[in-house]
Amino acid sequence: MEGADLIAMVSIITAGLTIAIGSIGPALGEARAAAQALEALARQPDEANTITRTLFVSLAMIESTAIYCFVVSMILIFANPFWSPAQGVTGG
Amino acid sequence: MEGADLIAMVSIITAGLTIAIGSIGPALGEARAAAQALEALARQPDEANTITRTLFVSLAMIESTAIYCFVVSMILIFANPFWSPAQGVTGG
Amino acid sequence: MEGADLIAMVSIITAGLTIAIGSIGPALGEARAAAQALEALARQPDEANTITRTLFVSLAMIESTAIYCFVVSMILIFANPFWSPAQGVTGG
Amino acid sequence: MEGADLIAMVSIITAGLTIAIGSIGPALGEARAAAQALEALARQPDEANTITRTLFVSLAMIESTAIYCFVVSMILIFANPFWSPAQGVTGG
Amino acid sequence: MEGADLIAMVSIITAGLTIAIGSIGPALGEARAAAQALEALARQPDEANTITRTLFVSLAMIESTAIYCFVVSMILIFANPFWSPAQGVTGG
Amino acid sequence: MEGADLIAMVSIITAGLTIAIGSIGPALGEARAAAQALEALARQPDEANTITRTLFVSLAMIESTAIYCFVVSMILIFANPFWSPAQGVTGG
Amino acid sequence: MEGADLIAMVSIITAGLTIAIGSIGPALGEARAAAQALEALARQPDEANTITRTLFVSLAMIESTAIYCFVVSMILIFANPFWSPAQGVTGG
Amino acid sequence: MEGADLIAMVSIITAGLTIAIGSIGPALGEARAAAQALEALARQPDEANTITRTLFVSLAMIESTAIYCFVVSMILIFANPFWSPAQGVTGG
Amino acid sequence: MEGADLIAMVSIITAGLTIAIGSIGPALGEARAAAQALEALARQPDEANTITRTLFVSLAMIESTAIYCFVVSMILIFANPFWSPAQGVTGG
Amino acid sequence: MEGADLIAMVSIITAGLTIAIGSIGPALGEARAAAQALEALARQPDEANTITRTLFVSLAMIESTAIYCFVVSMILIFANPFWSPAQGVTGG
Amino acid sequence: MEGADLIAMVSIITAGLTIAIGSIGPALGEARAAAQALEALARQPDEANTITRTLFVSLAMIESTAIYCFVVSMILIFANPFWSPAQGVTGG
Amino acid sequence: MEGADLIAMVSIITAGLTIAIGSIGPALGEARAAAQALEALARQPDEANTITRTLFVSLAMIESTAIYCFVVSMILIFANPFWSPAQGVTGG
Amino acid sequence: MEGADLIAMVSIITAGLTIAIGSIGPALGEARAAAQALEALARQPDEANTITRTLFVSLAMIESTAIYCFVVSMILIFANPFWSPAQGVTGG
Amino acid sequence: MEGADLIAMVSIITAGLTIAIGSIGPALGEARAAAQALEALARQPDEANTITRTLFVSLAMIESTAIYCFVVSMILIFANPFWSPAQGVTGG
């Protein structure tokens, strides 16, 4: 049953690294957008509505790349299309 | 069935790394564009329309590179053209 | 029982690295947002409410990427879907 | 059929890494150009036309390098000229 | 008893690296937030209350990522769910 | 037929990495030139002609290094001078 | 007695690296907080009390991550829970 | 025919990496010179002639290092002096 | 006596690297704090007492992380708890 | 004929890497000097002669390090003193 | 006598790297403190005494981390506690 | 004749890398000095003589480190003291 | 005589790397201190004595870390305490 | 004669890398000092004597670390104390 074990191991490693590496960019990016929004708020309190709306659209857009990574990570753990055949053939 | 297993493993690793690495650039890039847009909004509230429109076109353009990565990642997991022949020949 | 052992080892390493690497981005990102919020507070004490609210929404959004990592890490340690089959088949 | 399998594996890895690495530069580059355009818009709203036109030409030029990578990535997955001979000779 | 030994070794390495790597981000992040708070205090001594409160909330939020790492590290040393089965089966 | 397979693998990897690595510099470089041109446009709208002309000459010059990489990449995939002899001798 | 030796070696390496890597972040972080406090003191000598208090709370918070690392390092050297079983079983 | 194959492989890899790595410096360098020229144009439109001439001389000088790399790359693919002897001796 | 030798080697390497890596952070950190203190002294000579006192507390706090490393390094060379058993058992 | 083949391979790799790595520094360096010269031209158009002359001397000096690399690269490909003996002895 | 040789080799490598790596931080750190002191001297020549005294205390503190490394390095070369037993047992 | 071949290979690699790596520092360094000289010329055209003289002395001093590398590189290719004995003994 | 050869090789590598790595920090550090001293001289020519004296004390302190490395390097080449025993025992 | 060959190879590699790595720091450092001196000359032409003298002392001090590396490099090539014994014993 070596084949299935190897696929399991590889899926575990990849799932972890994908979300780990994939969370660096969005975390820093959202922080940058948020920091600038706070700075803009302090300078133009009257534009709070426009600024907050633009910030949330941007955060959602940036978060989307983190969610791509999370989706791939979850697929690899719970819905891995390579897992059944490997297990079925060699375990059957 | 070693060949199919290896291709499965390689596809898993590549799918994960592609979206993980590929999400760093767009996340940081969108953050930069958004941050500058917020800064511009605070300076020229009257130009909110032009600024928001230019921002969204830019975000879409930057997001496109993340989507290229996501597409390649999904192809490797669910529509891998190298998977069937490897499985068919060795498993037949 | 080599297969189960290898999966255990890989899960341990991945769980640790996932949360370790995955905590760098959010920690730095939250710090950046918080620092800017403090700076904004010092400049516009009257807008403390708007600033604090925007800060907390942003912190929650950034923390979410750390939580993705923590969730994957906990799944790998306590609810690893690859652990039972590997243990059952080879230990049975 | 080892040869074809190896070529398949190598094509998968290369396709993923090519688009992953190749999307970092354009994403950051487009962000930079867009950020500066937003900054210019805030400073010279009257020149919106010239600025937007120059921005779009530049974005297209930068995007072209991402598209080179995507093209190579797609060729390696769906039109790999090394795939047929390797498969034909060893599988025939 | 090789299996249990390997799991022990891997747990030790991972526990150490997790807290070591995981303490870099929070340490730098808390420093940044604290530095900015001190700067804000020097500029707006009258807002000391709001600034200090916001700082402590932020520090707690950032510290949380360090604590995630510490928790995973302690679990791997003292409550490792992979340790008993490996030891029991091979040592029994 | 190992020799031809190895050459095929090496060509695939090199073609991908060449365009991937080779697109980072031009993408960032074109972005820098474009950003500065936009900045110059905002400062001297009257010099739009000279600025745009100098920008396009520079973009072409920078793009040329990306095209060198793309040319080498295409040569390695579709016109590889090492491919025929390796294939002919061992397959003949 | 190879198993116990390996665990000893791994514990030594991990203990050293944990405290070595784990001291970089806190050292730089405390320096940053302290530098900013000194800067604030020079600007607002009258707020020395608030500044010093906030500095010490922050230093304690940052030092805590260094202490996490030191604790794990000491546990691995003097209270390693994996050491006795490995030694007992193989040496008995 | 292993010798000739290895030389072919090494030539392919080196040709690709040479132009890939070698295009980073010139691309960034030309961008820097161009950016500064655009900035100078915006500040001193009357000196457009001197600025443009100096820019083109500099671009040519910087491009020369990219061309060195391209020349070496082409020599390795199409005029490799090590290729004939290796092929002749072992294939004769 | 291979086991004891390996433990000796590992202890030597770890002791050296621990203090080497562990001295980078504190050295840079203390320099930063000292530089800022000197800058503060030049700006507010009248506050020399408060500044110097805060500096020395900070230096002591930062030095503490270097001392953690030095302690671990000395323990590994002169009071290594893994050294006697390894030597005793295999040499006895 | 393994010896000559290895020397050929090593010469190819080294020739490529030498000019590739060696072109990064001069390209960036010449760009910096040129950028500053353009900036100086914009500030002191009357000193165009002195500035241009100093720029060209500097460019020549910087280019010299690129030429050192190109010379070594060409020597390794076309006038390699280690090539003849290796080929002569083993091929004779 | 392999054991003693290996310990000797490891001690040599570690001694060299310890002082080499360990001298980077202090050298840069002392330079920073000294640079700031010179800057302070230029701004407040009247405070030369306080500045010089604070500088020397700081330099001593920073130098201490370099000396930790030098001490460990010397111990490993001239007073290595692992050297005698290894040599005695295997050479006796 | 393996020994002489290995020495030839090692000499080739080292000669190339020495000049490649060794040209980065001087190229960037000379560029920095030249850039500053151009800037000084633009600010103090009357001091052109002193500035140019100091620049040339500095360039010569910096170039000297590139020449050290070139000398070592040439010695390794054309006057390698390890080459004759290795060739003589094994080829005689 | 393998043992003595290995120790010789290791001593050569370590001696070279120690001084090579160990010269980076001091060179950059001395440059920084010297640059700041020159800057201070330009701002306060009247304090040339104090500035020069402080500079020379600092340079000596920084140079000391380079000398530590040079000393270790020379010891490893000309007074290596591990060299005689290794040579004596195996060559005797 | 393997031992002498290995020592020769190691000496060649180390000699090259020592001067290559060791020239980066001094080249950049001298450039920094020279750049600052030129800047000081432009600001205080009257202090040309003091500035030039301080510059030359600093350049000599920085060059000294490059010379340490060159000396070690030359010793390893032309006066290697490990070369004769290795050659004598195995070749005799």
Side-chain angles (χ1 to χ4, degrees):
Chain A
M1 197 172 146
E2 232 173 49
D5 279 0
L6 282 173
I7 289 182
M9 280 161 55
V10 159
S11 302
I12 292 171
I13 296 175
T14 311
L17 285 189
T18 300
I19 189 64
I21 297 176
S23 77
I24 295 175
L28 295 180
E30 291 176 10
R32 181 169 193 175
Q36 193 65 45
L38 290 160
E39 207 271 325
L41 274 178
R43 223 169 39 180
Q44 284 276 9
D46 300 340
E47 293 299 315
N49 276 347
T50 323
I51 288 169
T52 317
R53 208 185 49 222
T54 310
L55 172 66
F56 289 168
V57 170
S58 302
L59 284 185
M61 205 96 182
I62 300 172
E63 184 79 9
S64 77
T65 64
I67 287 172
Y68 292 166
C69 291
F70 192 56
V71 162
V72 169
S73 191
M74 285 295 105
I75 286 173
L76 290 182
I77 295 183
F78 293 114
N80 196 322
F82 300 110
W83 172 242
S84 318
Q87 208 179 24
V89 169
T90 58
Chain B
M1 197 173 146
E2 232 172 49
D5 279 0
L6 282 172
I7 290 183
M9 280 161 54
V10 159
S11 302
I12 293 171
I13 297 176
T14 310
L17 285 189
T18 300
I19 189 64
I21 298 176
S23 76
I24 295 175
L28 295 179
E30 291 175 10
R32 180 168 193 176
Q36 192 66 44
L38 289 161
E39 208 270 326
L41 274 178
R43 223 167 40 180
Q44 285 276 10
D46 300 341
E47 293 299 315
N49 276 348
T50 322
I51 289 169
T52 317
R53 207 185 50 223
T54 310
L55 172 66
F56 289 167
V57 170
S58 303
L59 285 185
M61 205 96 182
I62 300 172
E63 184 79 10
S64 77
T65 64
I67 288 172
Y68 292 166
C69 292
F70 192 57
V71 163
V72 169
S73 191
M74 285 295 106
I75 286 173
L76 290 182
I77 295 182
F78 293 114
N80 195 323
F82 300 110
W83 173 241
S84 317
Q87 208 179 24
V89 169
T90 58
Chain C
M1 197 173 146
E2 232 172 50
D5 279 359
L6 282 172
I7 289 183
M9 280 161 54
V10 159
S11 302
I12 292 170
I13 297 175
T14 311
L17 285 188
T18 301
I19 188 64
I21 298 176
S23 77
I24 295 175
L28 295 179
E30 291 175 11
R32 181 169 192 174
Q36 193 65 46
L38 290 160
E39 208 270 325
L41 275 177
R43 224 169 38 180
Q44 284 276 9
D46 300 340
E47 293 299 315
N49 276 348
T50 323
I51 289 169
T52 316
R53 208 186 49 222
T54 311
L55 172 66
F56 288 168
V57 170
S58 303
L59 284 186
M61 205 95 182
I62 300 171
E63 185 79 10
S64 77
T65 63
I67 287 172
Y68 292 166
C69 291
F70 192 56
V71 162
V72 169
S73 191
M74 286 295 105
I75 286 173
L76 289 182
I77 295 182
F78 293 115
N80 196 322
F82 300 110
W83 172 242
S84 317
Q87 208 179 25
V89 169
T90 57
Chain D
M1 198 173 144
E2 232 173 49
D5 279 0
L6 282 173
I7 290 183
M9 280 161 54
V10 159
S11 302
I12 293 171
I13 297 176
T14 310
L17 286 188
T18 300
I19 189 64
I21 298 176
S23 77
I24 295 175
L28 295 179
E30 291 175 10
R32 181 168 193 176
Q36 193 66 45
L38 290 161
E39 207 270 326
L41 274 178
R43 224 169 39 181
Q44 285 276 10
D46 300 341
E47 293 298 316
N49 277 348
T50 322
I51 289 170
T52 317
R53 208 184 50 223
T54 310
L55 172 66
F56 289 168
V57 170
S58 302
L59 285 185
M61 205 97 181
I62 300 172
E63 184 80 9
S64 76
T65 64
I67 287 172
Y68 292 166
C69 291
F70 192 56
V71 162
V72 169
S73 191
M74 286 295 106
I75 286 173
L76 290 182
I77 295 183
F78 293 114
N80 196 322
F82 300 110
W83 172 241
S84 316
Q87 209 179 23
V89 169
T90 57
Chain E
M1 198 173 145
E2 232 172 50
D5 279 359
L6 282 172
I7 290 183
M9 280 161 54
V10 159
S11 303
I12 292 171
I13 296 176
T14 311
L17 285 188
T18 300
I19 188 63
I21 298 176
S23 77
I24 295 175
L28 295 180
E30 291 175 10
R32 182 169 192 174
Q36 193 65 46
L38 289 161
E39 207 271 325
L41 274 178
R43 225 170 38 180
Q44 285 276 9
D46 300 340
E47 294 298 316
N49 276 348
T50 323
I51 289 169
T52 316
R53 208 185 49 222
T54 311
L55 173 66
F56 289 167
V57 170
S58 303
L59 285 185
M61 205 96 183
I62 300 172
E63 185 79 9
S64 77
T65 64
I67 287 171
Y68 292 165
C69 291
F70 192 56
V71 162
V72 169
S73 190
M74 286 295 106
I75 287 173
L76 289 182
I77 295 182
F78 293 115
N80 196 322
F82 300 110
W83 172 243
S84 317
Q87 208 178 23
V89 169
T90 58
Chain F
M1 197 173 145
E2 232 173 49
D5 279 359
L6 283 172
I7 290 183
M9 280 161 54
V10 159
S11 302
I12 292 171
I13 297 176
T14 311
L17 286 188
T18 300
I19 189 63
I21 299 176
S23 77
I24 295 175
L28 295 179
E30 291 175 10
R32 181 167 193 177
Q36 193 65 44
L38 290 160
E39 208 270 326
L41 274 178
R43 225 170 38 181
Q44 285 276 11
D46 300 341
E47 293 297 316
N49 276 348
T50 322
I51 289 170
T52 316
R53 207 184 50 222
T54 310
L55 173 65
F56 289 167
V57 170
S58 303
L59 285 185
M61 204 96 182
I62 300 172
E63 185 80 9
S64 76
T65 64
I67 287 172
Y68 291 166
C69 291
F70 191 57
V71 162
V72 169
S73 191
M74 285 295 106
I75 286 173
L76 290 183
I77 296 183
F78 293 115
N80 196 322
F82 300 110
W83 172 242
S84 316
Q87 208 179 23
V89 169
T90 57
Chain G
M1 199 174 144
E2 232 173 49
D5 279 358
L6 283 172
I7 290 182
M9 279 161 55
V10 159
S11 302
I12 292 171
I13 297 176
T14 311
L17 286 188
T18 300
I19 188 62
I21 298 176
S23 78
I24 295 175
L28 295 179
E30 291 175 11
R32 182 170 191 173
Q36 193 64 45
L38 289 161
E39 207 271 325
L41 274 178
R43 226 170 38 180
Q44 285 276 9
D46 299 340
E47 294 298 316
N49 276 348
T50 323
I51 289 170
T52 316
R53 209 186 48 224
T54 311
L55 173 65
F56 289 168
V57 170
S58 303
L59 285 185
M61 205 95 183
I62 300 172
E63 185 79 9
S64 77
T65 64
I67 288 171
Y68 292 166
C69 292
F70 192 56
V71 162
V72 169
S73 191
M74 286 295 107
I75 286 173
L76 290 182
I77 295 182
F78 293 115
N80 196 322
F82 300 110
W83 172 242
S84 317
Q87 208 178 23
V89 169
T90 57
Chain H
M1 197 174 145
E2 233 173 48
D5 279 359
L6 283 172
I7 289 184
M9 279 162 55
V10 159
S11 302
I12 292 171
I13 297 176
T14 311
L17 285 188
T18 300
I19 188 64
I21 298 177
S23 76
I24 295 175
L28 295 179
E30 291 175 9
R32 181 168 193 176
Q36 193 64 45
L38 289 161
E39 207 270 325
L41 274 178
R43 225 170 37 181
Q44 284 276 11
D46 300 340
E47 293 297 316
N49 276 348
T50 322
I51 289 169
T52 316
R53 207 185 49 222
T54 310
L55 173 66
F56 289 167
V57 170
S58 303
L59 284 185
M61 204 96 182
I62 300 172
E63 185 80 9
S64 76
T65 64
I67 286 172
Y68 292 166
C69 292
F70 192 56
V71 162
V72 170
S73 190
M74 286 295 106
I75 286 173
L76 290 182
I77 295 183
F78 292 115
N80 196 322
F82 300 110
W83 172 242
S84 316
Q87 208 179 23
V89 169
T90 57
Chain I
M1 199 175 144
E2 233 172 49
D5 279 359
L6 283 173
I7 290 183
M9 279 161 55
V10 159
S11 302
I12 293 170
I13 297 176
T14 311
L17 285 188
T18 301
I19 189 62
I21 298 176
S23 77
I24 295 175
L28 295 179
E30 290 175 11
R32 182 170 191 172
Q36 193 64 45
L38 289 161
E39 207 271 325
L41 274 178
R43 225 170 38 181
Q44 285 276 10
D46 300 340
E47 293 298 316
N49 276 348
T50 322
I51 289 170
T52 316
R53 207 185 50 222
T54 311
L55 172 66
F56 289 167
V57 170
S58 304
L59 284 185
M61 205 95 182
I62 301 172
E63 185 78 9
S64 77
T65 64
I67 288 172
Y68 292 166
C69 292
F70 192 56
V71 162
V72 169
S73 191
M74 286 295 106
I75 286 173
L76 290 182
I77 294 182
F78 293 115
N80 196 322
F82 300 110
W83 173 242
S84 317
Q87 208 179 23
V89 169
T90 58
Chain J
M1 198 174 144
E2 234 173 47
D5 279 359
L6 282 172
I7 289 183
M9 280 161 55
V10 159
S11 302
I12 292 171
I13 298 176
T14 310
L17 286 188
T18 300
I19 188 63
I21 299 177
S23 76
I24 296 176
L28 295 179
E30 291 175 10
R32 181 167 193 176
Q36 194 64 46
L38 289 161
E39 208 271 325
L41 274 178
R43 226 172 36 182
Q44 285 276 11
D46 300 341
E47 294 297 316
N49 276 347
T50 322
I51 289 169
T52 316
R53 207 184 50 222
T54 310
L55 173 66
F56 288 168
V57 170
S58 304
L59 285 185
M61 204 95 182
I62 300 171
E63 185 79 9
S64 77
T65 63
I67 287 172
Y68 292 166
C69 291
F70 191 57
V71 162
V72 169
S73 190
M74 285 295 106
I75 286 173
L76 290 182
I77 295 183
F78 293 115
N80 196 321
F82 300 111
W83 173 241
S84 315
Q87 208 179 23
V89 169
T90 58
Chain K
M1 200 175 144
E2 233 172 48
D5 280 359
L6 282 172
I7 290 183
M9 279 160 56
V10 159
S11 302
I12 293 170
I13 297 176
T14 311
L17 286 188
T18 301
I19 188 62
I21 298 177
S23 77
I24 296 175
L28 295 179
E30 291 175 11
R32 182 170 191 172
Q36 194 64 45
L38 289 161
E39 207 272 324
L41 274 177
R43 227 171 35 182
Q44 285 276 10
D46 300 340
E47 294 298 316
N49 277 347
T50 322
I51 289 170
T52 316
R53 207 186 48 222
T54 311
L55 173 65
F56 288 167
V57 170
S58 304
L59 284 185
M61 204 94 183
I62 301 172
E63 185 78 9
S64 77
T65 64
I67 287 172
Y68 292 166
C69 292
F70 192 56
V71 162
V72 169
S73 190
M74 286 295 105
I75 286 173
L76 290 182
I77 295 182
F78 292 115
N80 197 322
F82 300 110
W83 172 243
S84 317
Q87 208 179 23
V89 169
T90 58
Chain L
M1 199 175 144
E2 233 173 48
D5 279 359
L6 282 172
I7 289 184
M9 279 161 56
V10 159
S11 302
I12 292 171
I13 297 176
T14 311
L17 286 188
T18 301
I19 188 64
I21 299 177
S23 76
I24 296 175
L28 295 179
E30 290 175 10
R32 181 167 193 175
Q36 193 64 46
L38 289 161
E39 207 272 325
L41 274 178
R43 227 172 35 183
Q44 285 276 10
D46 300 341
E47 294 298 315
N49 277 347
T50 322
I51 289 169
T52 316
R53 208 184 49 222
T54 310
L55 173 66
F56 288 168
V57 170
S58 304
L59 285 185
M61 204 96 182
I62 300 172
E63 185 78 9
S64 77
T65 63
I67 287 171
Y68 292 166
C69 291
F70 192 57
V71 162
V72 169
S73 190
M74 285 295 106
I75 286 173
L76 290 182
I77 295 183
F78 293 115
N80 196 322
F82 300 110
W83 173 241
S84 315
Q87 208 179 23
V89 169
T90 57
Chain M
M1 199 174 145
E2 233 173 48
D5 279 359
L6 282 172
I7 289 183
M9 279 161 56
V10 159
S11 302
I12 292 171
I13 297 176
T14 311
L17 286 188
T18 301
I19 188 63
I21 299 177
S23 77
I24 295 175
L28 295 179
E30 290 175 11
R32 182 169 192 174
Q36 193 64 45
L38 289 161
E39 207 272 324
L41 275 178
R43 226 171 37 182
Q44 285 276 10
D46 299 341
E47 293 298 316
N49 276 347
T50 322
I51 289 170
T52 316
R53 207 185 49 221
T54 311
L55 173 65
F56 288 167
V57 170
S58 303
L59 284 185
M61 205 95 183
I62 300 172
E63 185 79 9
S64 76
T65 64
I67 287 172
Y68 291 167
C69 292
F70 192 56
V71 162
V72 169
S73 190
M74 286 295 106
I75 286 173
L76 290 182
I77 294 183
F78 292 115
N80 196 323
F82 300 110
W83 172 242
S84 316
Q87 208 179 23
V89 169
T90 58
Chain N
M1 199 173 144
E2 233 172 48
D5 279 359
L6 282 172
I7 290 183
M9 279 162 56
V10 159
S11 303
I12 292 171
I13 297 176
T14 311
L17 286 187
T18 301
I19 189 63
I21 299 177
S23 76
I24 295 175
L28 295 179
E30 291 174 11
R32 182 168 192 174
Q36 193 64 46
L38 289 161
E39 207 272 325
L41 274 178
R43 227 172 36 182
Q44 285 275 11
D46 300 341
E47 294 298 316
N49 276 348
T50 322
I51 289 169
T52 315
R53 208 184 49 223
T54 310
L55 173 66
F56 288 168
V57 170
S58 304
L59 285 185
M61 204 95 183
I62 301 172
E63 185 78 10
S64 77
T65 63
I67 287 172
Y68 291 166
C69 291
F70 192 57
V71 161
V72 169
S73 190
M74 286 295 106
I75 286 173
L76 289 182
I77 295 183
F78 292 116
N80 196 322
F82 300 110
W83 173 242
S84 316
Q87 208 180 22
V89 169
T90 57

